[in-house]
Amino acid sequence: PSSAPGGSEPPPPPLQYSLLLQHLVGEQRRPRALDPAALGGIPSPPKSEEQKMVERAMESCAFKAVLACVGGFVLGGAFGVFTAGIDTNVGFDPKDPYRTPTAKEVLKDMGQRGISYAKNFAIVGAMFSCTECVVESYRGKSDWKNSVISGCITGGAIGFRAGLKAGVIGCGGFAAFSAAIDYYLR
């Protein structure tokens, strides 16, 4: 390249890469507002009054108790039918130990055991759910301690019917089980 007489060369034009860097990390960088939509989040419109009302209803203690009761009933019924189906003592007659039970006897036992387990699971589910909701409302926090405390109260109340020692064991066992389930789910 030839130089101009008596003068210096003009500086070469900056590379496009260096201009890009000045806008990304340099002095010409403009800070962006923290907008969830700009960061890739899904924008959500404001909630209507009906949506807020449904949300409040679903977070109420009564709804949680009913949901736990229905879920416990279904789970207990399925568990009872399953255990009755694999039980080898259905229709057992000590006078005739080689007698095979009839289908009617097996189905009757499955129905009885299914209903019995369903009621028990529904009661335990409703007790635990109500207790947890009351403990959470009292403490004003939603953490693992609520399920442990409510597990202890529920297990202790169920076990206390058989005596103080059974109540203490029920409290500890149900609290430990609640802690394990809460740890696994959270």
Side-chain angles (χ1 to χ4, degrees):
S2 64
S3 63
S8 66
E9 290 183 22
L15 297 173
Q16 293 297 325
Y17 180 71
S18 61
L19 285 176
L20 181 65
L21 279 177
Q22 285 179 356
H23 286 283
L24 291 176
V25 293
E27 297 83 27
Q28 295 179 358
R29 178 176 174 259
R30 285 180 251 137
R32 293 191 315 182
L34 290 177
D35 182 22
L39 295 175
I42 299 173
S44 60
K47 295 179 182 176
S48 67
E49 287 302 316
E50 291 85 15
Q51 288 174 325
K52 291 178 184 177
M53 184 179 69
V54 168
E55 208 171 76
R56 280 192 302 269
M58 292 181 81
E59 291 176 1
S60 70
C61 290
F63 181 79
K64 289 178 182 179
V66 168
L67 189 65
C69 188
V70 170
F73 190 85
V74 170
L75 183 65
F79 190 69
V81 168
F82 174 74
T83 57
I86 60 171
D87 189 6
T88 58
N89 290 331
V90 174
F92 180 73
D93 185 11
K95 296 177 185 173
D96 187 12
Y98 297 108
R99 180 181 154 293
T100 304
T102 63
K104 184 177 180 181
E105 291 173 337
V106 172
L107 290 174
K108 182 180 176 185
D109 188 54
M110 288 172 79
Q112 288 174 345
R113 197 176 302 189
I115 292 294
S116 174
Y117 276 50
K119 287 191 281 187
N120 290 335
F121 275 53
I123 290 169
V124 171
M127 281 177 63
F128 179 81
S129 180
C130 287
T131 308
E132 185 176 34
C133 197
V134 168
V135 168
E136 184 177 324
S137 298
Y138 178 76
R139 291 185 66 230
K141 295 179 185 177
S142 179
D143 58 2
W144 62 272
K145 293 177 185 177
N146 295 339
S147 62
V148 172
I149 293 169
S150 57
C152 179
I153 292 170
T154 303
I158 292 170
F160 190 68
R161 296 184 308 174
L164 182 61
K165 184 177 179 182
V168 170
I169 292 172
C171 171
F174 213 106
F177 181 72
S178 299
I181 294 296
D182 197 67
Y183 176 77
Y184 178 73
L185 292 179
R186 288 187 193 225

